[in-house]
Amino acid sequence: MSFQSVSSNKVHHCELPACAGGKNICGSSSGFLIMVDETSEIIMIDPNTNARFVLPQIPTSLAPKHSTNIDSGESLETRKYLVHKAVLSSPPDCNPHDYILMVIYGEERELAYYTAWNQTWIKVQEAGRYYDDIIFHMGEFYAVDEYGKVILCQLGFPPNIEEIAMPWLHRGSKIYLVGMGDELCLVIRFLKDNPTVGYETYNFEVHWLESYDERMHLGDLEHWAFFLGQNESVALQTEIVKGVKGNCIYFTDDNLDAYKYGVIGGHDLGVFNRGEESFQPLQCCQRNMQSAWPRPVWLTPDN
């Protein structure tokens, strides 16, 4: 497996045996790559230290029923792999008995979480369905669904769900939730058809979550860069991460509906300059790349 630094462009190669065997990367959080196989067994590994944690399979009792409207040619990710995205509360090697892993899973993209202290999977039934993103921010889990509704998940027994932002008509293809300092932002991604590669991103919008029913469009963010994709969505200050351009969105391909376009996916990645409204390719990837499996993902070392 290869890793390329955004700051230096240096490429680092490392052998990760835990990544072999047809596993799919479903998350990158707290410095760990999170992978799932076709049995829904989850493996978490720190590429720097090779620290490795294996979680129990998501129980079949939590698995939603298969939709009767699913095409028999459904995507590899949604049919073969149960987990769409996974986010940690803290690095599991810091305290192996005191961390939580939250996931978006199943065809209807529901929420569930695993607690290390009792080694149990729990479904967040009250949260509903069709979630696009989850993050761990200021000591709490937050999630946003495809309609723009944002919830705070307080994971007790049972979980307590608080809706902190109502749904809204954003007209985008996917929505991300990002912590920027103490605040929460919503980043909307817009896709369009591309006859050569199936689809491509053509725009992003960034909104500050001002209140339950108000969102404010954000202009120039010269000291911040966003990193979006299969990773836990993050905004980093450019003065801390050298070599990163401010007011830019670094993105990778996390379109789980690639099969609808008759393609594998993984090609839709680059850097969007918000000020110039222009796209640039990532230096680590081929300009004419039409597919990539497993898909590239951002990895942010935990500090």
Side-chain angles (χ1 to χ4, degrees), residues 1 6 15 39 49 58 109 133 144 151 156 166 184 188 196 215 218 240 243 254 260 264 272 282 297:
M1 182 171 287
V6 175
E15 294 292 331
T39 70
T49 65
I58 298 176
R109 306 199 312 271
D133 202 12
V144 60
I151 62 170
M166 63 184 293
L184 286 174
I188 305 168
T196 303
R215 297 159 182 83
L218 290 177
I240 297 175
D254 59 354
K260 293 181 180 178
I264 296 175
F272 176 65
L282 290 171
V297 63

Side-chain angles (χ1 to χ4, degrees), residues 235-246:
L236 301 177
Q237 291 181 288
T238 54
E239 60 188 34
I240 297 175
V241 185
K242 303 300 181 183
V244 172
K245 295 181 180 180

Side-chain angles (χ1 to χ4, degrees), residues 4-203:
Q4 181 163 358
S5 169
V6 175
S7 300
S8 66
N9 286 324
K10 291 183 179 179
V11 178
H12 305 272
H13 302 281
C14 62
E15 294 292 331
L16 297 176
C19 297
K23 296 179 180 64
N24 183 40
I25 297 175
C26 61
S28 168
S29 178
S30 295
F32 276 73
L33 286 176
I34 307 168
M35 293 160 286
V36 62
D37 65 17
E38 56 192 62
T39 70
S40 79
E41 180 182 78
I42 291 179
I43 296 176
M44 305 182 296
I45 185 167
D46 183 340
N48 291 317
T49 65
N50 267 329
R52 179 173 176 267
F53 295 82
V54 180
L55 272 58
Q57 296 177 355
I58 298 176
T60 55
S61 59
L62 266 65
K65 296 179 180 179
H66 289 292
S67 169
T68 57
N69 298 322
I70 298 299
D71 187 348
S72 59
E74 191 183 357
S75 74
L76 185 64
E77 291 99 328
T78 53
R79 194 37 93 76
K80 188 176 181 181
Y81 301 104
L82 187 63
V83 179
H84 301 290
K85 195 161 195 177
V87 168
L88 283 160
S89 62
S90 60
D93 54 345
C94 290
N95 192 336
H97 305 292
D98 188 22
Y99 68 87
I100 298 173
L101 180 75
M102 177 168 271
V103 301
I104 300 173
Y105 78 105
E107 293 169 7
E108 297 184 336
R109 306 199 312 271
E110 297 176 275
L111 300 179
Y113 63 97
Y114 173 83
T115 57
W117 54 84
N118 60 10
Q119 301 180 12
T120 302
W121 282 101
I122 299 173
K123 181 177 180 178
V124 189
Q125 186 74 44
E126 301 80 2
R129 303 173 292 175
Y130 304 119
Y131 280 88
D132 270 0
D133 202 12
I134 46 178
I135 62 170
F136 188 74
H137 176 67
M138 304 292 289
E140 302 281 3
F141 281 100
Y142 295 84
V144 60
D145 69 12
E146 64 180 26
Y147 308 108
K149 180 183 75 175
V150 181
I151 62 170
L152 164 64
C153 306
Q154 296 175 316
L155 304 182
F157 298 96
N160 180 48
I161 303 301
E162 179 185 353
E163 184 176 320
I164 63 172
M166 63 184 293
W168 63 307
L169 188 63
H170 57 77
R171 301 184 184 278
S173 305
K174 186 162 187 174
I175 189 163
Y176 301 89
L177 192 57
V178 186
M180 193 171 69
D182 295 340
E183 308 296 337
L184 286 174
C185 296
L186 297 171
V187 182
I188 305 168
R189 185 171 184 168
F190 296 83
L191 300 178
K192 66 179 180 181
D193 292 348
N194 180 305
T196 303
V197 294
Y199 59 90
E200 65 179 349
T201 298
Y202 71 91
N203 195 20

